[in-house]
Amino acid sequence: MEQQLRNLFIDNKPFSAEGLNVQGYSIIDISKRQVRKGKLLATADFQADANHLLEVLQNSGKVYGYTRKGVLKALYVVTEVGHQYNCDEVYCSSDLSGEPVTDLMNQQVVFLMAQRASYYNDGKAFFRGNKVPKLISKTGPYSWYYALIFAVIYSVVFSTTLKSPIGIFAGIMMGLAMGSCFRSASYEYEKEESSGKTEAEQEPEES
């Protein structure tokens, strides 16, 4: 599992958030209400302390769950201290033990942690003791295609509703705004430079 995560960082290839979705499973952000009701946790074949999950959520942490056909198959507990996010607790259904799908789940949760950490200058993320490299986001080009489509649609709607040429202008403005909404986003992990020596092995610089 850890090796799979390291491979993802080393490859340093751009990827999309959608590309991390695990086929056949739905990832959910479990709420305090869902934990209190206990219905979702009752579908799992593993034990998770509801009081502990509530404590994590009340302290700005996150609890991610993977479900399949309404059954909870995996649970990831992410704690937050300052702007540092840690995931040391992972629960999986017995039928997922050793299955490759768990690596895919790990990668998606690691991305979500790294994304939260990227909102802060001092943000850091750790997954089972492994430091997650800084996440870099890149925005794709402006979508003139969708801007044109929505400009036409809104111009017709507004000009008909307002019964004035002003509606066309308003429609064009709305269309241009929608073009920004459809810009694609890609991500990659920052490749950390390494000298091949640990800090203890590196010789001090001469003054």
Side-chain angles (χ1 to χ4, degrees), residues 9-191:
F9 306 148
I10 293 171
D11 288 345
N12 198 33
K13 295 178 180 178
F15 60 91
S16 66
E18 295 77 13
L20 295 177
N21 291 333
V22 183
Q23 188 173 4
Y25 295 84
S26 298
I27 185 171
I28 58 174
D29 195 342
I30 296 178
S31 66
K32 288 181 282 188
R33 181 172 179 272
Q34 287 175 305
V35 175
R36 291 193 184 100
K37 290 183 67 175
K39 186 177 179 180
L40 181 61
L41 292 178
T43 66
D45 66 359
F46 52 79
Q47 294 294 322
D49 187 340
N51 291 328
H52 172 59
L53 298 182
L54 284 173
E55 183 180 359
V56 169
L57 291 171
Q58 289 167 352
N59 285 282
S60 302
K62 289 281 188 179
V63 178
Y64 298 107
Y66 281 92
T67 62
R68 185 170 189 174
K69 297 180 180 180
V71 177
L72 185 63
K73 307 298 288 186
L75 197 67
Y76 290 77
V77 183
V78 180
T79 59
E80 178 182 347
V81 179
H83 297 149
Q84 179 171 308
Y85 305 92
N86 298 275
C87 181
D88 295 315
E89 297 178 65
V90 179
Y91 303 89
C92 287
S93 178
S94 57
D95 61 340
L96 292 185
S97 180
E99 291 295 319
V101 70
T102 58
D103 287 328
L104 301 178
M105 293 176 177
N106 293 340
Q107 290 177 15
Q108 188 171 36
V109 172
V110 164
F111 163 71
L112 293 174
M113 293 171 60
Q115 189 177 45
R116 291 188 71 191
S118 70
Y119 298 151
Y120 308 97
N121 291 331
D122 60 344
K124 296 179 181 178
F126 294 85
F127 185 83
R128 288 191 162 182
N130 293 286
K131 183 180 179 180
V132 180
K134 181 181 179 181
L135 185 69
I136 302 172
S137 62
K138 297 182 178 181
T139 305
Y142 180 84
S143 179
W144 287 103
Y145 173 77
Y146 284 105
L148 178 60
I149 290 177
F150 281 100
V152 172
I153 293 174
Y154 285 127
S155 294
V156 172
V157 172
F158 289 150
S159 61
T160 302
T161 303
L162 300 175
K163 296 181 179 180
S164 169
I166 296 177
I168 297 176
F169 176 76
I172 293 174
M173 292 298 99
M174 287 292 292
L176 292 175
M178 291 301 294
S180 296
C181 295
F182 283 89
R183 296 176 72 178
S184 60
S186 64
Y187 304 87
E188 63 182 67
Y189 291 103
E190 183 176 74
K191 190 172 184 179

